[in-house]
Amino acid sequence: MANTHSTTANTKTEPGNALLDASSLGFRKALDLYFVALKADWRYWAGRSKASPATLSDRAQAAAAAWAICTGALQQTRDLPGAHPDLRSAAGYLLRGAPQEAPTERSLGQLGAQVLKLARDHRATPSGLQALLEEAGTLLFVHSANLAVTSLQTRVANPNL
């Protein structure tokens, strides 16, 4: 006798309309750019001891350009009329993590915790915002960890600081 109950797990997907919302797409793009900027920073810091001055200059310029593009995308998301208030808040938190704001490891950790608090409020909603906000919080924690490692590298290279 055939089993009439589905044996396949129900993997509920996010509604398509929520993922195609302009503010969600803009925030998704800003998160991708934040990751690119973190990677560019890391390439600069990781290669400081081995790279030539010209290469270091190119990497520093690439990192600065990546942060500038990322900052612009975050500002657009934060200022987008009709954007979800939590996405706008998260964009503001990410902006405070940009290098021109001179973030510290501690401040980045606090910003990440604030964004994850926003994400928790979306657990029971099918809006797709929880995943975006969790990724934003995670990027802030990664940024904090990168900052910790780079400050250690600086102290090892210059013990008199």
Side-chain angles (χ1 to χ4, degrees):
M1 184 168 183
N3 186 355
T4 58
H5 297 291
S6 174
T7 57
T8 305
N10 184 3
T11 57
K12 294 186 179 187
T13 59
E14 299 296 334
N17 290 342
L19 295 175
L20 296 177
D21 174 58
S23 60
S24 294
L25 287 173
F27 191 70
R28 164 83 263 143
K29 180 65 176 173
L31 291 179
D32 292 343
L33 291 170
Y34 199 94
F35 179 73
V36 168
L38 285 175
K39 232 167 61 168
D41 260 356
W42 186 253
R43 285 195 64 207
Y44 168 74
W45 283 99
R48 281 181 51 182
S49 63
K50 300 173 188 169
S52 70
T55 301
L56 278 179
S57 177
D58 290 345
R59 287 181 182 173
Q61 288 177 0
W67 278 113
I69 293 168
C70 173
T71 299
L74 287 168
Q75 288 170 339
Q76 285 180 338
T77 301
R78 183 197 59 197
D79 300 338
L80 184 66
H84 192 284
D86 288 343
L87 288 181
R88 293 175 73 167
S89 293
Y93 291 136
L94 287 162
L95 280 167
R96 290 197 294 187
Q100 62 267 27
E101 297 293 323
T104 63
E105 298 163 40
R106 184 170 188 230
S107 69
L108 288 167
Q110 290 170 339
L111 293 170
Q114 287 294 107
V115 174
L116 290 180
K117 184 178 176 189
L118 293 173
R120 278 194 296 272
D121 295 340
H122 292 279
R123 278 192 187 151
T125 65
S127 65
L129 294 180
Q130 181 184 3
L132 285 173
L133 294 168
E134 284 177 347
E135 185 175 344
T138 301
L139 285 170
L140 285 164
F141 287 122
V142 168
H143 191 172
S144 175
N146 283 356
L147 198 58
V149 170
T150 57
S151 69
L152 285 174
Q153 284 179 340
T154 302
R155 283 186 231 145
V156 168
N158 303 309
N160 295 329
L161 291 179

